[in-house]
Structure formats: structure tokens, C-alpha cells
Amino acid sequence: MKKTTADIMLDALVSNDVDTVFGIPGAHSYELSDALARRSNDIRFIHTRHEQGSGYMAYGYAKSSGKPGVFTVVPGPGVLNAGAAICTAYGGNAPMMCLTGNIMSHLIGQGRGQLHELPDQLATLKGLTKWADRIDHPTQAAAKMTTAFTEMNSDRQRPVAIEVPWDVFGQKGVAPEIEAAPVRHTTLDPESIETAAKLIAAASNPMIMVGGGALDAAAEVLALAKKIQAPVASHRSGKGIVADDSPHAMNLIAAYDYYKECDLLIGIGSRLELQMMRWQWKPANLKILRIDIDPTEMVRLKPDHAIVGDAAEATAALTKALSGHKAADRSAEFTAMKDAARKASEVVQPQMSYLDAIRTALPRDGFFVEEVSQMGFTARFGFPVYEPRQYVTCAYQDNLGFGYNTALGVKVANPDKPVVSINGDGGFMFGMQEMATAVQHGIGVIAIVFNNNAYGNVRRDQMNVFDGRLVGSELKNPDFVAMAQSFGMPAEKAETPKELQDAIERALAHGGPALIEVPVETGSETSPWQFLHPAPHS
């Protein structure tokens, strides 16, 4: 049986459990769009109002579910517009796939100035992704799509991309049976586990630091923490791996205090950014043990001992190797440190009060999508999370404007769970056009816009570091409530934490997309950076 390249690509998507594609149709990929229209019973297509929105939605879908997030955009400017989202997926270790077109195959590389032509689009994609390739003929489609899924999901998950020339999408070839792509498995070294167990057994004050690489190892991490009586810290990507109401979970403020006496830091799926890049000091007797699927991480930050392998498998093996280890219960000690940290964080106002209001209104199983903003920064230590993937972040890219669009993808992946997106006024305006997408497709994200009429962090630095010389940091904003209503979205203003809590509860009861604007006096927020980037310990 013969099928077009586009149809074979969709066969591969379905075989690999893809049920949603985000994107914008365009001339170069009409055949792919038509294939999606014909396969609408298998794959839902959600069209967006900007290519960046398509990429971010795919990122949110992938990051919150662990399933592939797939999007399609036109080549050239479409790919470049989506580039920020691809960078975010790379930094956030998300299984995301970009499908795009290219100019006619016989014109690639000639520099004729064809519609949407880039000098070397494939090289551009390779520079942004873990793996990228071109399908030059329908006979390659099945194999290259399978390779794309294997590369995306094996080892350290990261985005991949496939481009198809304009004339190749519609060409027909023999369509093979396509099975789910295989995933490479890293074999653990038993000697490495035994050495690590001895290192842990000799430690008096171990600390576990988890990152995005441990999202699927929650039960194993908690079992190890209980076994060795260690606190589990996280910065942003690892939030919720151990529930914040567990005695063993410590936010970054409490973890900083504990770290002063730490003699063994156990990184699990983490770059150890908090300790090595933000705190920037090491206790005198500290040893470092790392568990990571990516062997190059052991070169970037060389530990005293390394275990290369899957986080869940390696952590379980380590706990088993420690079967004879006994440690006294330190729950009361950890809880006291957490209580002290909470009290210390209450100086960060009004952020903490508003975050408390959101946490009260948001059900325990709800998703919280941060943004690069005063509320977002504070949430990294001030917003409790109870399950892995419930806190969605932009990882180290810290790219302004990712939040709302990403939250829409989170909601598509989790239609029965509430999703709250917090935004600053500056960041929200980067993607506010996707309110149209939310309304058209019925994507029930609650967008909270904290409006301080500024790029708040930039303005604070200009005031404090550059003698108050303000340039480009103060903003003239629209009426966010009226703007949301113009899209057909319920919206209201909340001026106190209690009003915000009540407004969220009303929006949750409504069930559809909604917006809440929270006015904040310009420059009034307490800086959260005293906790996020404390001065090196002396």
C-alpha cells in the first residue's frame, strides 16, 4: 500500500502514542495539514496564533505529562519564531518534536531566495535540538520518524526536529508497518552502586538534590531519603518529586541552612545548579555523589563518585544496597528547619501572601505554571507542590513570556486537572494573543496577571545598581480585564489575596478559560533574591 510522506509521518505519530499536534498550517506543509484533517479521529490539531505559542504548548504538554509534545510550523520565519520554545525544551529536558517544511528539494542550498528560505535550516535546527534530520523521500519517512522518537526519548530527553521539503510531503511511497520506537537503556554498573552505598553509609549529614531528571523516580527518591534520613531539596524542575508536606522535603531556604553542615550531596537527575551556581560555596568536608542518565554531566561537574543510569533504577538499586543501613529518625529536626524557613520567607511581600491565596484555592492535584516575574521567582521557594510535574518551569532558559502559552499545553495534556498560570504584565504580553486559542479550543487555563506596570526585576536593578536611571523598564499596559473579555473570556480584577482566592474559586467553578488581573504598586515587591542567590557563606 502506498501513502504520502505526510501520511506515513502521521502513522508514526499514532504508533508512538501522540494524540495532539499544535501548530499553524502553511503552504510548505499543506499536505501534512490535510493528513491531520483526514486523521482527526486519531490526532487532535490545535492551531495557535503564533508559532512560539505552538512550540510552548507542545513544551507544556510534554513537561506536564511525560509524553511527546509535537508541533508543526512553516519553515524559515516559523521555525525561528518557535526557536525560543525549542530552547526551553532543550533546557527543560522535554520530549518535544518539531515538524516543519522546507523549500522545494532541488532548490535547497542554492540561495535563490525562495519563500521562507534560510541559508541552512537543518543546521539551524541541529543547533537547537538534540537531533534533527530531513526526509528526502517517502521511503525514508518511517525510519527517520522512528529514529526521531528514539533519540527524543532515550537517555536525556530533549527536543528533536524533522524537516520535509515542500514537494516531498505529498510524494507517495510504500507504507511499512510502524511500531513504537525503541528506547535505549543504560545498564547500571553494580560496582558503582556498591561504592556509592559505602559513601552514603559513611556520611553523617547527607542531602539529596533532585532535578528534572528525577521526575519519574519519586517513589524511589523518597524511599532512599527515608532510609538514610536525608532531606530532599529542589530548585524548580524537581519541585514535587517529594511532596512539600513530607518531613523530608525542604525548600531552598531550609536546604541552604542544612547545607552548612552537609557532608554528602547526592544529586539525582540534577545539574546541582542551586549548590554550585547559586550558593557558590562548599562545606569543607563535602563529597558529591551524582546519579544522572547523561554521562557528560559527570564531566561538566565532576563528582567524587558517579552513577550513570536511569534515576529510578539507580536510586532503587542504591536503597537496596543500603538494606543494612540504620539511621535515626530526623523528621522533627527537618520539620523545625522547614518551619523556620517558612517564617523567614514571609518578609517577601506581597508575593508570599498572593502565593498562599493561590495554593489555598488550587486543589492539591492542580498544576502551577510559573513565569519570569516577581511572583514566579518567589514561587520557587514559596509555593508548595505535592506531586512531580505539577510545577512547570522554563528551567535554565528563564525566558520571559513562556508561561501562559506553556500552561495551555499543560491543560490540553491534563484536561481534568485545574491549571493556573501566573504572569507578570510584561511576560503576559508576549503571548496574550493565545487567549484566542484558549477560547476557540476551550482550554480552561486560569491566567493570573500581576500588573506592576514594569519589567519588575529590570526596574529594581536599575534603581539599586544603576542609581535609578530607568530605561525600558516601565510599561504602559492595556486594561487586561477588558482585553480578556474582548476575546470572550470571563475576567475580573482582584486587589487583595482574599479577593484573588475567591476569584480563582469562581474561575474553577466556571471551568473554562479565565483571566484575573491583580494590580501591584510599581516597585513595591520585596526582592526574593536574598533567598534565591544568597551571599556565599563565610
Side-chain angles (χ1 to χ4, degrees):
M1 180 180 183
K2 287 190 173 183
K3 291 185 178 181
T4 66
T5 299
D7 281 312
I8 296 171
M9 293 171 70
L10 261 62
D11 286 344
L13 295 183
V14 172
S15 295
N16 285 279
D17 200 28
V18 173
D19 57 18
T20 303
V21 174
F22 304 90
I24 299 178
H28 294 72
S29 53
Y30 276 160
E31 295 286 351
L32 180 63
S33 299
D34 185 61
L36 284 164
R38 287 185 278 103
R39 298 289 293 272
S40 60
N41 289 335
D42 298 322
I43 297 178
R44 179 185 183 187
F45 183 66
I46 296 179
H47 65 287
T48 67
R49 306 306 285 267
H50 192 282
E51 292 93 351
Q52 195 172 102
S54 301
Y56 279 137
M57 289 181 208
Y59 172 71
Y61 184 100
K63 196 65 180 171
S64 63
S65 69
K67 294 173 57 180
V70 181
F71 74 99
T72 178
V73 292
V74 297
V79 166
L80 296 177
N81 279 343
I86 298 173
C87 289
T88 304
Y90 192 91
N93 303 311
M96 188 172 86
M97 181 179 292
C98 170
L99 303 177
T100 188
N102 205 330
I103 61 176
M104 293 289 186
S105 54
H106 66 286
L107 296 173
I108 293 174
Q110 291 193 20
R112 289 269 305 273
Q114 300 294 313
L115 175 66
H116 293 355
E117 182 178 1
L118 288 180
D120 191 341
Q121 177 174 278
L122 186 55
T124 299
L125 287 168
K126 286 182 176 180
L128 295 174
T129 61
K130 178 182 179 182
W131 178 94
D133 204 350
R134 177 188 301 137
I135 296 173
D136 290 309
H137 191 270
T139 57
Q140 299 177 335
K144 290 198 174 183
M145 288 294 291
T146 296
T147 300
F149 276 102
T150 295
E151 292 299 325
M152 180 179 64
N153 287 317
S154 295
D155 308 321
R156 188 173 190 164
Q157 291 184 330
R158 274 180 160 160
V160 298
I162 285 187
E163 67 170 28
V164 182
W166 193 337
D167 53 314
V168 175
F169 269 123
Q171 290 179 7
K172 287 188 175 182
V174 175
E177 292 293 325
I178 302 176
E179 297 181 352
V183 177
R184 290 190 299 273
H185 181 75
T186 301
T187 302
L188 285 178
D189 176 5
E191 291 186 9
S192 183
I193 296 294
E194 291 299 326
T195 301
K198 291 176 183 177
L199 198 61
I200 292 174
S204 299
N205 290 295
M207 170 190 284
I208 299 171
M209 180 71 192
V210 291
L215 285 170
D216 294 323
E220 293 81 1
V221 168
L222 182 58
L224 178 62
K226 290 180 175 179
K227 182 65 179 177
I228 66 176
Q229 285 300 302
V232 180
S234 61
H235 179 204
R236 45 192 167 190
S237 296
K239 285 175 70 69
I241 289 174
V242 172
D244 274 318
D245 54 0
S246 163
H248 290 278
M250 280 190 179
N251 71 10
L252 57 87
I253 301 176
Y256 184 77
D257 290 334
Y258 181 91
Y259 184 66
K260 296 170 185 176
E261 303 298 329
C262 180
D263 57 356
L264 177 64
L265 177 61
I266 305 170
I268 304 178
S270 169
R271 293 177 298 119
L272 303 180
E273 176 192 6
L274 197 63
Q275 291 83 3
M276 300 301 148
M277 301 182 203
R278 293 188 178 274
W279 296 348
Q280 297 183 341
W281 65 278
K282 294 170 59 177
N285 299 317
L286 183 72
K287 292 186 181 298
I288 298 175
L289 165 63
R290 298 190 69 184
I291 298 173
D292 205 289
I293 195 71
D294 185 352
T296 59
E297 278 297 319
M298 309 311 181
V299 178
R300 295 186 183 108
L301 175 61
K302 188 174 182 179
D304 293 279
H305 184 66
I307 299 174
V308 177
D310 173 76
E313 184 182 1
T315 304
L318 194 50
T319 303
K320 183 177 180 180
L322 287 160
S323 58
H325 182 73
K326 302 292 184 182
D329 185 0
R330 302 178 67 177
S331 298
E333 175 190 350
F334 297 159
T335 299
M337 296 185 79
K338 288 159 54 105
D339 291 345
R342 167 65 206 201
K343 185 175 181 180
S345 70
E346 289 174 359
V347 302
V348 183
Q349 295 295 345
Q351 297 100 299
M352 287 296 295
S353 293
Y354 279 118
L355 290 170
D356 286 346
I358 297 170
R359 183 68 273 180
T360 299
L362 184 66
R364 186 178 177 89
D365 64 351
F367 286 80
F368 178 97
V369 185
E370 68 163 23
E371 175 59 272
V372 181
S373 64
Q374 297 307 299
M375 293 295 165
F377 293 140
T378 306
R380 294 176 187 177
F381 58 80
F383 190 82
V385 185
Y386 305 117
E387 294 287 342
R389 302 190 185 277
Q390 287 181 346
Y391 185 97
V392 181
T393 170
C394 51
Y396 65 75
Q397 288 295 344
D398 262 359
N399 41 317
L400 194 68
F402 95 101
Y404 180 61
N405 298 344
T406 294
L408 295 176
V410 172
K411 183 63 176 179
V412 171
N414 302 273
D416 299 326
K417 301 290 179 67
V419 178
V420 165
S421 165
I422 62 161
N423 307 265
D425 49 309
F428 186 71
M429 290 290 286
F430 278 43
M432 60 87 184
Q433 72 280 349
E434 301 304 340
M435 285 191 286
T437 304
V439 172
Q440 184 165 2
H441 291 279
I443 306 172
V445 169
I446 302 172
I448 306 173
V449 181
F450 292 94
N451 181 9
N452 62 4
N453 294 293
Y455 293 124
N457 228 53
V458 175
R459 187 182 186 280
R460 180 190 293 118
D461 286 343
Q462 289 177 349
M463 291 295 295
N464 296 339
V465 182
F466 298 98
D467 299 325
R469 293 185 294 275
L470 301 180
V471 57
S473 58
E474 296 192 326
L475 305 175
K476 176 64 176 177
N477 286 317
D479 182 331
F480 287 105
V481 170
M483 183 171 68
Q485 290 172 341
S486 75
F487 283 101
M489 182 183 296
E492 61 180 293
K493 189 172 290 187
E495 300 191 5
T496 67
K498 183 60 169 67
E499 288 182 7
L500 176 59
Q501 178 185 330
D502 293 343
I504 294 171
E505 291 172 351
R506 283 190 290 272
L508 287 171
H510 169 261
L515 180 140
I516 305 165
E517 179 183 356
V518 182
V520 179
E521 182 183 350
T522 304
S524 65
E525 301 101 332
T526 304
S527 173
W529 290 100
Q530 59 184 305
F531 299 116
L532 290 167
H533 208 315
H537 180 67
S538 57

mmCIF file of all heavy atoms in Angstrom, residues 34 45 94-95 127 140 142 149 154 168 243 248-249 315 321 339 349 367 410 429 495:
data_model
loop_
_atom_site.group_PDB
_atom_site.id
_atom_site.type_symbol
_atom_site.label_atom_id
_atom_site.label_comp_id
_atom_site.label_asym_id
_atom_site.label_seq_id
_atom_site.Cartn_x
_atom_site.Cartn_y
_atom_site.Cartn_z
ATOM 1 N N ASP A 34 -3.396 18.556 5.589
ATOM 2 C CA ASP A 34 -4.511 17.776 5.072
ATOM 3 C C ASP A 34 -4.533 16.377 5.682
ATOM 4 O O ASP A 34 -5.613 15.829 5.978
ATOM 5 C CB ASP A 34 -4.417 17.679 3.543
ATOM 6 C CG ASP A 34 -5.625 16.982 2.939
ATOM 7 O OD1 ASP A 34 -6.749 17.498 3.107
ATOM 8 O OD2 ASP A 34 -5.440 15.908 2.338
ATOM 9 N N PHE A 45 -5.761 18.411 16.323
ATOM 10 C CA PHE A 45 -4.902 19.520 15.888
ATOM 11 C C PHE A 45 -5.396 20.806 16.529
ATOM 12 O O PHE A 45 -6.560 21.186 16.381
ATOM 13 C CB PHE A 45 -4.904 19.660 14.370
ATOM 14 C CG PHE A 45 -3.984 20.749 13.878
ATOM 15 C CD1 PHE A 45 -2.605 20.639 14.043
ATOM 16 C CD2 PHE A 45 -4.486 21.889 13.261
ATOM 17 C CE1 PHE A 45 -1.757 21.640 13.596
ATOM 18 C CE2 PHE A 45 -3.636 22.896 12.810
ATOM 19 C CZ PHE A 45 -2.273 22.765 12.977
ATOM 20 N N ALA A 94 12.703 18.199 27.836
ATOM 21 C CA ALA A 94 11.347 17.776 27.495
ATOM 22 C C ALA A 94 11.342 17.014 26.176
ATOM 23 O O ALA A 94 12.019 17.406 25.219
ATOM 24 C CB ALA A 94 10.419 18.987 27.393
ATOM 25 N N PRO A 95 10.545 15.940 26.071
ATOM 26 C CA PRO A 95 10.438 15.190 24.826
ATOM 27 C C PRO A 95 9.516 15.906 23.835
ATOM 28 O O PRO A 95 8.316 15.632 23.769
ATOM 29 C CB PRO A 95 9.859 13.850 25.284
ATOM 30 C CG PRO A 95 9.040 14.185 26.483
ATOM 31 C CD PRO A 95 9.762 15.319 27.162
ATOM 32 N N GLY A 127 21.385 22.960 15.704
ATOM 33 C CA GLY A 127 21.972 23.775 16.759
ATOM 34 C C GLY A 127 21.048 24.030 17.932
ATOM 35 O O GLY A 127 21.507 24.473 18.992
ATOM 36 N N GLN A 140 12.035 7.104 3.184
ATOM 37 C CA GLN A 140 12.796 7.395 4.405
ATOM 38 C C GLN A 140 11.901 7.743 5.589
ATOM 39 O O GLN A 140 12.374 7.794 6.729
ATOM 40 C CB GLN A 140 13.759 8.567 4.168
ATOM 41 C CG GLN A 140 14.803 8.349 3.102
ATOM 42 C CD GLN A 140 15.646 9.604 2.898
ATOM 43 O OE1 GLN A 140 15.214 10.723 3.180
ATOM 44 N NE2 GLN A 140 16.866 9.415 2.424
ATOM 45 N N ALA A 142 9.318 6.514 7.448
ATOM 46 C CA ALA A 142 9.081 5.660 8.608
ATOM 47 C C ALA A 142 10.333 5.523 9.464
ATOM 48 O O ALA A 142 10.293 5.665 10.693
ATOM 49 C CB ALA A 142 8.594 4.288 8.160
ATOM 50 N N PHE A 149 11.895 9.564 17.337
ATOM 51 C CA PHE A 149 11.305 9.194 18.626
ATOM 52 C C PHE A 149 12.335 8.517 19.536
ATOM 53 O O PHE A 149 12.364 8.761 20.751
ATOM 54 C CB PHE A 149 10.090 8.294 18.418
ATOM 55 C CG PHE A 149 8.825 9.036 18.136
ATOM 56 C CD1 PHE A 149 8.341 9.128 16.839
ATOM 57 C CD2 PHE A 149 8.124 9.666 19.154
ATOM 58 C CE1 PHE A 149 7.171 9.821 16.560
ATOM 59 C CE2 PHE A 149 6.962 10.368 18.896
ATOM 60 C CZ PHE A 149 6.478 10.447 17.587
ATOM 61 N N SER A 154 15.314 8.581 24.422
ATOM 62 C CA SER A 154 16.407 7.808 25.008
ATOM 63 C C SER A 154 17.356 8.707 25.785
ATOM 64 O O SER A 154 17.548 9.882 25.448
ATOM 65 C CB SER A 154 17.191 7.082 23.919
ATOM 66 O OG SER A 154 16.394 6.114 23.272
ATOM 67 N N VAL A 168 8.105 17.001 -1.150
ATOM 68 C CA VAL A 168 8.215 15.623 -0.660
ATOM 69 C C VAL A 168 7.019 15.228 0.208
ATOM 70 O O VAL A 168 6.633 14.058 0.253
ATOM 71 C CB VAL A 168 9.546 15.427 0.101
ATOM 72 C CG1 VAL A 168 9.629 14.042 0.738
ATOM 73 C CG2 VAL A 168 10.723 15.635 -0.847
ATOM 74 N N ALA A 243 6.718 15.352 48.088
ATOM 75 C CA ALA A 243 5.684 16.331 48.426
ATOM 76 C C ALA A 243 6.174 17.303 49.485
ATOM 77 O O ALA A 243 6.824 16.904 50.460
ATOM 78 C CB ALA A 243 4.430 15.612 48.913
ATOM 79 N N HIS A 248 10.569 15.151 54.776
ATOM 80 C CA HIS A 248 11.851 15.037 54.085
ATOM 81 C C HIS A 248 12.032 16.058 52.969
ATOM 82 O O HIS A 248 13.137 16.184 52.439
ATOM 83 C CB HIS A 248 12.025 13.621 53.539
ATOM 84 C CG HIS A 248 12.243 12.601 54.613
ATOM 85 N ND1 HIS A 248 13.472 12.367 55.186
ATOM 86 C CD2 HIS A 248 11.368 11.771 55.234
ATOM 87 C CE1 HIS A 248 13.355 11.427 56.109
ATOM 88 N NE2 HIS A 248 12.094 11.055 56.164
ATOM 89 N N ALA A 249 10.980 16.780 52.598
ATOM 90 C CA ALA A 249 11.111 17.793 51.551
ATOM 91 C C ALA A 249 11.529 19.121 52.161
ATOM 92 O O ALA A 249 10.962 19.556 53.165
ATOM 93 C CB ALA A 249 9.791 17.949 50.815
ATOM 94 N N THR A 315 18.455 4.738 41.815
ATOM 95 C CA THR A 315 18.108 5.073 43.194
ATOM 96 C C THR A 315 17.559 3.847 43.927
ATOM 97 O O THR A 315 17.886 3.608 45.101
ATOM 98 C CB THR A 315 17.091 6.223 43.226
ATOM 99 O OG1 THR A 315 17.622 7.342 42.510
ATOM 100 C CG2 THR A 315 16.795 6.648 44.654
ATOM 101 N N ALA A 321 21.070 -1.651 48.128
ATOM 102 C CA ALA A 321 22.441 -1.888 48.584
ATOM 103 C C ALA A 321 22.658 -1.410 50.012
ATOM 104 O O ALA A 321 23.601 -1.833 50.687
ATOM 105 C CB ALA A 321 23.427 -1.202 47.648
ATOM 106 N N ASP A 339 9.946 24.962 59.187
ATOM 107 C CA ASP A 339 9.123 25.997 59.821
ATOM 108 C C ASP A 339 9.885 27.310 59.907
ATOM 109 O O ASP A 339 9.324 28.393 59.658
ATOM 110 C CB ASP A 339 8.684 25.547 61.206
ATOM 111 C CG ASP A 339 7.679 24.401 61.171
ATOM 112 O OD1 ASP A 339 7.105 24.152 60.093
ATOM 113 O OD2 ASP A 339 7.478 23.751 62.218
ATOM 114 N N GLN A 349 6.998 40.183 50.467
ATOM 115 C CA GLN A 349 5.609 40.598 50.274
ATOM 116 C C GLN A 349 5.500 41.620 49.132
ATOM 117 O O GLN A 349 6.447 42.341 48.860
ATOM 118 C CB GLN A 349 5.061 41.192 51.577
ATOM 119 C CG GLN A 349 4.957 40.221 52.728
ATOM 120 C CD GLN A 349 3.951 39.097 52.493
ATOM 121 O OE1 GLN A 349 3.103 39.163 51.589
ATOM 122 N NE2 GLN A 349 4.053 38.043 53.298
ATOM 123 N N PHE A 367 -2.156 22.032 38.650
ATOM 124 C CA PHE A 367 -0.871 22.404 38.055
ATOM 125 C C PHE A 367 -0.640 23.905 38.186
ATOM 126 O O PHE A 367 -1.561 24.707 38.008
ATOM 127 C CB PHE A 367 -0.830 22.014 36.570
ATOM 128 C CG PHE A 367 -0.681 20.537 36.336
ATOM 129 C CD1 PHE A 367 -1.785 19.697 36.439
ATOM 130 C CD2 PHE A 367 0.548 19.977 36.024
ATOM 131 C CE1 PHE A 367 -1.669 18.335 36.222
ATOM 132 C CE2 PHE A 367 0.684 18.617 35.809
ATOM 133 C CZ PHE A 367 -0.427 17.793 35.915
ATOM 134 N N VAL A 410 -0.183 22.464 29.039
ATOM 135 C CA VAL A 410 -0.367 21.669 30.259
ATOM 136 C C VAL A 410 -1.834 21.255 30.396
ATOM 137 O O VAL A 410 -2.146 20.097 30.704
ATOM 138 C CB VAL A 410 0.084 22.463 31.500
ATOM 139 C CG1 VAL A 410 -0.284 21.732 32.788
ATOM 140 C CG2 VAL A 410 1.594 22.719 31.455
ATOM 141 N N MET A 429 2.218 39.830 27.979
ATOM 142 C CA MET A 429 2.006 40.471 26.691
ATOM 143 C C MET A 429 2.781 39.787 25.564
ATOM 144 O O MET A 429 2.480 39.985 24.387
ATOM 145 C CB MET A 429 2.398 41.943 26.774
ATOM 146 C CG MET A 429 1.451 42.784 27.605
ATOM 147 S SD MET A 429 -0.170 43.018 26.840
ATOM 148 C CE MET A 429 0.247 44.191 25.562
ATOM 149 N N GLU A 495 -7.823 42.722 44.133
ATOM 150 C CA GLU A 495 -6.872 43.687 44.691
ATOM 151 C C GLU A 495 -6.294 43.271 46.028
ATOM 152 O O GLU A 495 -5.481 43.990 46.598
ATOM 153 C CB GLU A 495 -7.542 45.063 44.783
ATOM 154 C CG GLU A 495 -7.980 45.569 43.418
ATOM 155 C CD GLU A 495 -8.394 47.031 43.436
ATOM 156 O OE1 GLU A 495 -8.243 47.677 44.491
ATOM 157 O OE2 GLU A 495 -8.860 47.522 42.393
#
